[in-house]
Structures are given as C-alpha cells and as structure tokens.
Amino acid sequence: MKAVVWQGPSKVDVQEVPDPKLLNPRDAIIKVSSTAICGSDLHLYDGYIPTFMPGDIFGHEFMGEVVELGPEARERRPDLKVGDRVIVPFPIACGACTPCQRGLTSLCENSNPNAGEAEKVMGHSPSGIFGYSHMLGGYPGGQAEYARVPFADVGPFKVDEDLSDDQVLFLTDVLPTGWMAADMCDIQSGDVVAVWGAGPVGQFACLAAQIMGAAKVIVIDRVPERLAMAAEHTGAHPLNYENTSVLKELRELTAGRGPDRVIDAVGMEAHTDVTAIHAYDKTKQVAKLSTERPHALREAILSVANGGTVSIVGVYGGLVDKFPIGSLMNRSVTVRTGQAHVHRYLPDLYRRIRSGEIDPTFIISHHLPLADAAHGFDIFKHKEQECTKVVLKP
Ligand code: NAD
Ligand code: ZN
Ligand code: ZN
C-alpha cells in the first residue's frame, strides 16, 4: 500500500510499504477514506519529537471502512461489522484500565508497548498514539491506504452514511481537542477567554468557549486569514501579535485584570518577533538542550488574571526553559492540560454535528490526493496558499 513516510526534518515521501495485518485478536484493519494533517504532525515533520524515526508513517486523524476485524473485537463488539464506516480517535485506549474507566483515554495504561521509553522522559507513560513516535507506541499512522487499529472494540465510532467525511473527520482529534481546551477552563458566565493560536485547534477552542458561555473570546495569531476565519466562524475578537503588544492589549480589553481563562493552542514551535527570546529558545531547541519554544505559553501565563486558568493543549515534548512558575504560584493560577481524551467527548460532539449545531468543515482549505502529501505538509507548515487544514484522500 501507499503511505506518508517521514524522511528526516521537512522531508516526507509517499512510499510503497507492506500492508498492515491483524496482529492481535482485538485489531481491525481500516481502509482509509480521508486523513488529515495536524499541527502535531508538524512537530514530527520538523524533527522535534524524540523517537520519531525516518521511515515512520504519519497520521492520527483518519477514518474509513472496516475491512478486517479480529475475532475478539467481533465478540466484544457485536455491532461493529466489516463494511462499517468509522472514525478512529487518535489516542489508543483499551477501555478497561483505570484511566479509561474514568474517561481519561489518552492516559490508557495498556496501549503503549514502549511505556518504558516514555517513562524515561515523562516519569509515567500516556497512551499510545497512532503515528506519533516510538516512545508513544511506534504505531504506523493513518496517512496511508490502510491502518491497523488496536482495541477495535473500543476506538472506532460508527458514523451515519448521510454525513460526509469532512463533517466527521475532525472528531478524531482537533474538534475534541479544541473542545477539551475550553472544557478544562470551566468557563463561568462573564469570563473572558483568550486563545493563542488560530490553527484548527485554536478555531475549535474559540467555538467551544463561545458555546460554553464565555462573555468574550479573544484569539491571538499573526496569520490574517486564520484570524479572519476565527472572527467569522466563532465570533472571536482577533488580535494580530505582529501589530500589537499582546499583554498590553489584553489588559486593555479586560479592565486591567487579564483574561480569566487562557488557552495555549500553539505548542512547542511558537514563533515570536522578539528576536532575543526567539534566538534563545531556537538555539536551545536545535541544540536539544530544551525541546520547546514556549513563547505563547509564557505569554498566556503572564497575561491570565489572578486566580485564572491556563489550559494547555498545544503539544510539548519534554523540557522547557525560563518557565514563569513564580507567576503561576504567587497568583493562584490553575494549570490544566493533556492530550485530548477523544473517546469521552466524541458522542456529544457527534450529536452536535448531527443536529447542525456545529459544522466543523469551515477549517478545511485543501483536499489533496495522498500522493501530494509532501506538498500538503509544506503549505500547511508555511501557511502558504491560505492553508488552514489539509484533508488527504488515499
Ligand atoms: P497549527 O500549526 O495549524 O496552529 C498553530 C498556530 O499557532 C498557527 O496558526 C501559528 O501561526 C500560531 N502561532 C505560532 N506562534 C504563535 C504565538 N507566539 N502566538 C500566537 N499564535 C502563534 O496547528 P493546530 O493543528 O491548530 O495545533 C495547534 C497545537 O495543538 C499544536 O501544538 C498541536 O500539536 C496541538 N494539538 C494537541 C492536541 C491534544 O490532544 N492536546 C491535539 C491536536 C493538536
Ligand atoms: Zn492531531
Ligand atoms: Zn486503557
């Protein structure tokens, strides 16, 4: 089959690789109909996630048709059949361990066979994730013609035929992620919410914050079409950080107190115009002395109101330098974070799409054949051709 394979920093290729096979009686094989490139893939693409290796297959946002189903998956989940059309949550979860039972599926204790490697970096391991490094399971991703899905009785979610791939694909990741970002803020009426990053995750975080009752949502980025998209589709107030001092402007918009809740939807490769900070972070990141360039996160922490909440869904890989812990501690700031517990949010968000309350398709700028994945990565990373989200069609 054909799959999108990493070749080293900024290099991807679509190559012929062996077809996946059922390895475990609870596995399924999915014939992929649509798969998307995520901001998280850019961290892999750029070479910042440890243990993602040349030759590894990308992709954790995918959906398609069940073409093979292991005997145990059939037995445990009689409603799932070969031929069913399903979406697949990006964290791999067993459904039975303590975190899975508590709805914390990105912390499943049974889906990362390489947990020991993750423990060296993080102390404890999160769940396995499709196409997201050996440290997180070494699973081939879904930017391919076929994908193996472990714990197929738990992950795959059946979707109605009358909903298009574009309507449901983002339930695998970026929609629940943006939703969880806002959910972790525990938004109270009257709250001002500021969101760093107007990529797909930031767009959905803005939308979710509005739906959850924020009095005002402010979105920060520098890409004009992304800011305009958030304003149009989520009602967020756009702030272009290239034209203004974000901290100052946020104070002015909040009578000096700062936003009550702040969301980091940028992650480890934040950009900044403040040359000294950028040079410092970039040098440390390139030298692998720090894995992150956390400029947006620092700014979010410094700007949040006293007693407020910092919700981090932007991905970080390891260690961070110059972290304003004093600001958090002295000002009673709550930090909440995580890879999205997709399984937990999926049924509710599916109903909201079904009913027409949410139409997540507005983020899509490009549909490309799988064969053009390299071009898709390039324009998504560099924000060229007003690229906001690429859906690949195998
Ligand atoms: P994206 O790369 O399209 O969006 C990131 C946006 O941040 C871009 O628009 C960029 O211009 C903007 N940005 C960069 N520096 C900034 C700064 N200093 N201030 C404000 N904005 C800045 O990616 P995405 O798909 O929207 O993902 C965003 C982040 O969320 C990534 O780190 C990704 O890995 C992460 N993510 C996390 C989860 C999860 O489960 N926690 C799931 C999906 C994605
Ligand atoms: Zn993702
Ligand atoms: Zn589990």
Side-chain angles (χ1 to χ4, degrees):
M1 68 161 185
K2 298 253 184 302
V4 181
V5 173
W6 192 53
Q7 308 268 289
S10 299
K11 281 194 225 111
V12 298
D13 199 7
V14 177
Q15 290 181 349
E16 197 62 35
V17 300
D19 285 357
K21 292 194 173 54
L22 296 176
L23 298 180
N24 181 295
R26 285 174 77 182
D27 288 352
I29 304 294
I30 308 291
K31 181 173 196 287
V32 177
S33 59
S34 291
T35 173
I37 303 175
C38 177
S40 299
D41 291 326
L42 295 181
H43 310 318
L44 300 170
Y45 178 71
D46 292 337
Y48 292 128
I49 302 285
T51 76
F52 192 64
M53 311 294 276
D56 286 348
I57 300 174
F58 281 99
H60 57 270
E61 300 182 4
F62 62 96
M63 63 178 293
E65 184 192 328
V66 178
V67 290
E68 284 181 64
L69 204 49
E72 211 179 315
R74 284 172 202 263
E75 201 179 297
R76 287 170 181 252
R77 174 114 181 248
D79 73 301
L80 188 67
K81 302 249 164 13
V82 167
D84 281 349
R85 182 168 167 250
V86 294
I87 52 180
V88 181
F90 80 82
I92 302 170
C94 77
C97 68
T98 303
C100 279
Q101 288 289 307
R102 292 181 179 162
L104 304 172
T105 52
S106 74
L107 302 176
C108 175
E109 290 169 350
N110 289 319
S111 62
N112 184 1
N114 303 331
E117 280 188 62
E119 283 165 11
K120 282 185 214 152
V121 181
M122 304 185 214
H124 298 271
S125 175
S127 75
I129 294 180
F130 292 103
Y132 218 76
S133 83
H134 290 266
M135 183 172 84
L136 296 183
Y139 293 100
Q143 287 174 20
E145 289 178 296
Y146 295 90
R148 177 176 79 93
V149 175
F151 301 115
D153 50 301
V154 178
F157 184 93
K158 292 211 276 183
V159 288
D160 293 330
E161 288 301 327
D162 62 316
L163 293 172
S164 67
D165 278 22
D166 289 353
Q167 280 176 290
V168 293
L169 178 62
F170 306 130
L171 285 166
T172 60
D173 179 354
V174 283
L175 178 56
T177 300
W179 193 267
M180 180 167 122
D183 189 40
M184 291 192 296
C185 288
D186 199 8
I187 294 168
Q188 313 289 310
S189 73
D191 277 356
V192 176
V193 179
V195 179
W196 274 255
V201 172
Q203 300 286 336
F204 291 138
C206 290
L207 187 70
Q210 298 283 17
I211 294 173
M212 291 175 193
K216 187 183 191 82
V217 179
I218 301 163
V219 62
I220 300 138
D221 204 301
R222 68 165 170 160
V223 183
E225 64 272 11
R226 292 180 176 219
L227 289 168
M229 178 186 276
E232 182 189 342
H233 292 277
T234 77
H237 174 97
L239 258 190
N240 188 327
Y241 67 81
E242 286 197 318
N243 306 335
T244 186
S245 152
V246 173
L247 272 117
K248 190 161 160 269
E249 186 113 6
L250 287 174
R251 274 176 194 271
E252 275 165 19
L253 287 165
T254 55
R257 292 174 45 235
D260 306 281
R261 321 281 166 188
V262 296
I263 292 173
D264 170 1
V266 176
M268 65 195 291
E269 292 182 76
H271 158 269
T272 170
D273 288 331
V274 186
T275 340
I277 299 175
H278 187 71
Y280 179 87
D281 285 343
K282 181 94 191 178
T283 308
K284 288 212 126 179
Q285 196 180 43
V286 169
K288 304 209 184 306
L289 294 170
S290 167
T291 33
E292 336 290 349
R293 292 199 313 266
H295 185 67
L297 177 58
R298 287 191 194 112
E299 204 168 68
I301 291 171
L302 295 176
S303 72
V304 72
N306 287 352
T309 306
V310 179
S311 168
I312 308 170
V313 286
V315 161
Y316 292 89
L319 303 173
V320 69
D321 202 351
K322 301 238 177 310
F323 187 72
I325 182 68
S327 172
L328 292 176
M329 186 275 150
N330 288 288
R331 303 191 303 110
S332 304
V333 172
T334 299
V335 177
R336 295 193 65 191
T337 183
Q339 297 280 3
H341 306 297
V342 172
H343 305 67
R344 165 191 193 150
Y345 293 100
L346 215 159
D348 172 53
L349 289 170
Y350 181 74
R351 270 193 300 277
R352 290 177 195 259
I353 291 172
R354 224 348 347 152
S355 73
E357 183 193 358
I358 294 179
D359 174 9
T361 60
F362 72 87
I363 65 166
I364 303 172
S365 58
H366 290 74
H367 289 98
L368 295 174
L370 189 77
D372 292 351
H375 175 62
F377 270 86
D378 187 45
I379 57 174
F380 182 54
K381 176 182 156 107
H382 295 108
K383 284 97 184 156
E384 280 165 8
Q385 299 177 19
E386 305 207 346
C387 182
T388 46
K389 187 76 176 174
V390 179
V391 176
L392 299 169
K393 295 297 221 179

